[in-house]
Amino acid sequence: MSVLMHAPSRTVVVKSPLGDLTLMTQSGELVGLNFSRCLPAPTNSTLAPRHAGGGENMVAELDEYFAGSRRRFALPLRVIGSDFDQRVWSLTSDIPYGETTTYGELASRMGDGTTARKVGAALGRNPLCIVIPCHRVVGADGRLTGYAGGLHRKQFLLDLEERVEGNPGRLF
């Protein structure tokens, strides 16, 4: 398993339409983006001192996303997780803006007998909510299931992406 255990060098909490977001950076790369007070939350041992400023480019990209003018993030990222998790997150990152897929479809794309449940568990460990768009993964019947930030946030993000002009729309 290739899990890096370095503590982030900077933690910034920013306001968003979905509540506070905690951004964690290390050497100028985004390593964590979580809904504050949501699981999986960083532990005190992984948090660096909080700073009032910093991360302006990251905040600007998030603002553009919430305004509907950004469909892909260009932030410098360091995605920290097991090889399996990184494979799931990579497939998730390929889901087009405004579209959805199912946990089962992602499992099938893994091509190694992975189950939908294992895909869901990996998405539950997603360290970069919104940027790695696990909100675009739904249940086999199209229902919203499993989102660390809460299903109301998942619905908000899907609705946001669906409203943007020129979006082909969701599959479900």
Side-chain angles (χ1 to χ4, degrees):
M1 180 171 7
S2 63
V3 178
L4 299 175
M5 301 303 281
H6 302 287
S9 59
R10 188 173 189 92
T11 301
V12 179
V13 177
V14 298
K15 303 286 183 203
S16 85
L18 294 171
D20 289 347
L21 292 170
T22 301
L23 290 84
M24 293 165 279
T25 62
Q26 185 177 56
S27 303
E29 296 172 308
L30 187 65
V31 297
L33 175 60
N34 301 79
F35 296 106
S36 298
R37 294 184 270 251
C38 289
L39 296 175
T43 64
N44 287 337
S45 65
T46 62
L47 284 177
R50 290 181 185 230
H51 297 270
E56 287 81 8
N57 291 341
M58 294 172 206
V59 173
E61 286 198 21
L62 285 167
D63 286 344
E64 291 166 2
Y65 171 81
F66 285 119
S69 61
R70 176 169 292 279
R71 292 178 178 219
R72 290 189 78 58
F73 291 93
L75 304 166
L77 305 175
R78 181 177 306 157
V79 184
I80 302 170
S82 71
D83 291 341
F84 175 81
D85 288 349
Q86 290 204 29
R87 286 180 54 219
V88 171
W89 300 335
S90 177
L91 287 173
T92 303
S93 294
D94 291 340
I95 303 168
Y97 180 95
E99 295 184 28
T100 59
T101 192
T102 67
Y103 296 94
E105 178 59 31
L106 284 179
S108 177
R109 288 185 202 163
M110 293 286 285
D112 61 2
T114 295
T115 65
R117 188 174 301 257
K118 286 183 179 180
V119 166
L123 293 178
R125 293 185 292 272
N126 177 2
L128 297 168
C129 73
I130 303 171
V131 175
I132 297 175
C134 57
H135 60 275
R136 297 179 189 157
V137 184
V138 298
D141 60 1
R143 281 191 276 161
L144 302 187
T145 61
Y147 192 66
L151 293 182
H152 66 289
R153 288 186 175 111
K154 186 171 190 168
Q155 184 68 62
F156 178 95
L157 294 168
L158 291 172
D159 289 346
L160 170 75
E161 292 182 7
E162 189 172 41
R163 286 192 304 266
V164 174
E165 186 177 329
N167 178 27
R170 283 189 251 162
L171 297 176
F172 301 95

